[in-house]
Amino acid sequence: MKLSLRLLWPLLLALIVLVCLLAPVLPFAEPLKMNMGQRFAAPSAAFPLGQDEMGRDILSRLVFGVRISLFIALSTAVLSALIGTALGIIGGYMRGFSEILTLRAMDVVLCFPPLLLAMLAVTLYGPGPMTLIPVLSVVFVPGFTRIAYSSVLTVRSQDYVEAVRAMGASNGRIMLRTILPNIMGPLLVQVSFVTAAAVVLESGLSFLGLGVVPPSPSLGLMIGTGRAAIAHQPMLLVWPCLALVAMILVLNGVCDLLRDWLDPRSAAGAALSRSSSGA
């Protein structure tokens, strides 16, 4: 029963992603359309969560805000995973100068607090999603590099790697076709973790005015404007906070499920393996 309840997390995440993808064609109001005559309007049939300080539909802005946050977070996770995994595999397999260069470069990035590094880069290059994605990717690359590096050190001396090397396979083929598939487990868990962390970091930067540029909807921006208008309409602050908390809970639930699923030593992993084998 406990395992079946935990399977709700990926279903909820799939539902959130589906709604975000279909948001432009779903019957939501235009998130940027203002109606100053309906400022702070109460919930109604047309606007289930009411209207904000500029008369815009709060529900529509929440959906499109989650859409933007997920786009930035997933793009960040994928880009940082590609770069970090490549660096970690090369450093762990080739060793020598490649190992020293890779690890020392990651140590330099880790010297800076993530939020401070992101704020510095966004201040220099300007806010917006196209700035946030590469900046946040740099922040999360060291995590993937270290995980890939340590995993490669574990599998590089295994018999199946030695057998492929003895057959004359090139280093690139060994790293891509032999080593990478065998270290995907912890990397997939890290992708889900980074996605959740990127959502929080993006929301924080948007709250500070260094992320998504108004009038585009963003959970961080909505929290900032809701705080300023809390005396007039406290729910303006409550709704984006609830949406952010819910999204983080779902992403963390998926992260925990992936971790247990990909760890054959755990009870959940064994149960999932038996269920998939029975199917």
Side-chain angles (χ1 to χ4, degrees), residues 25-278:
V25 298
L26 292 176
F28 292 116
E30 171 57 45
L32 303 182
K33 185 178 180 180
M34 296 184 292
N35 185 354
M36 299 303 291
Q38 297 293 323
R39 296 175 70 243
F40 304 116
S44 62
F47 304 100
L49 300 183
Q51 293 168 267
D52 64 6
E53 75 284 356
M54 294 185 178
R56 297 169 297 195
D57 182 24
I58 296 177
L59 176 60
S60 177
R61 290 184 64 80
L62 282 177
V63 172
F64 281 87
V66 171
R67 173 187 169 97
I68 292 177
S69 295
L70 273 182
F71 169 74
I72 294 174
L74 289 173
S75 300
T76 296
V78 171
L79 183 58
S80 58
L82 292 175
I83 298 173
T85 301
L87 292 175
I89 292 178
I90 292 173
Y93 183 78
M94 302 300 294
R95 306 299 295 270
F97 179 74
S98 299
E99 178 184 24
I100 296 174
L101 182 62
T102 299
L103 295 182
R104 295 295 79 80
M106 296 304 102
D107 289 340
V108 171
V109 176
L110 289 172
C111 288
F112 297 92
L115 183 59
L116 180 61
L117 181 62
M119 289 176 62
L120 176 62
V122 171
T123 302
L124 292 175
Y125 297 104
M130 294 302 104
T131 301
L132 282 178
I133 292 172
V135 168
L136 296 182
S137 298
V138 172
V139 171
F140 294 112
V141 160
F144 285 101
T145 302
R146 288 175 173 270
I147 290 174
Y149 172 78
S150 60
S151 300
V152 170
L153 292 183
T154 302
V155 304
R156 71 187 303 271
S157 59
Q158 296 293 323
D159 292 340
Y160 59 84
V161 177
E162 295 294 338
V164 175
R165 186 184 296 115
M167 293 172 60
S170 63
N171 289 333
R173 181 179 178 84
I174 293 174
M175 289 187 286
L176 287 176
R177 302 292 296 274
T178 305
I179 292 179
L180 180 59
N182 286 282
I183 64 172
M184 285 299 294
L187 292 174
L188 289 175
V189 175
Q190 182 69 4
V191 167
S192 60
F193 170 77
V194 166
T195 302
V199 168
V200 175
L201 197 51
E202 180 275 325
S203 298
L205 290 172
S206 297
F207 176 81
L208 297 173
L210 299 174
V212 177
V213 180
S216 298
S218 167
L219 295 181
L221 283 174
M222 294 181 70
I223 292 174
T225 56
R227 187 191 63 166
I230 192 170
H232 300 283
Q233 179 56 274
M235 295 307 294
L236 282 180
L237 179 62
V238 173
W239 291 124
C241 288
L242 288 177
L244 182 60
V245 170
M247 188 159 54
I248 298 305
L249 283 176
V250 170
L251 289 171
N252 285 340
V254 172
C255 180
D256 291 341
L257 186 62
L258 275 175
R259 181 195 60 203
D260 293 341
W261 191 6
L262 297 171
D263 185 2
R265 296 170 296 181
S266 67
L272 281 170
S273 299
R274 288 195 300 269
S275 63
S276 60
S277 299

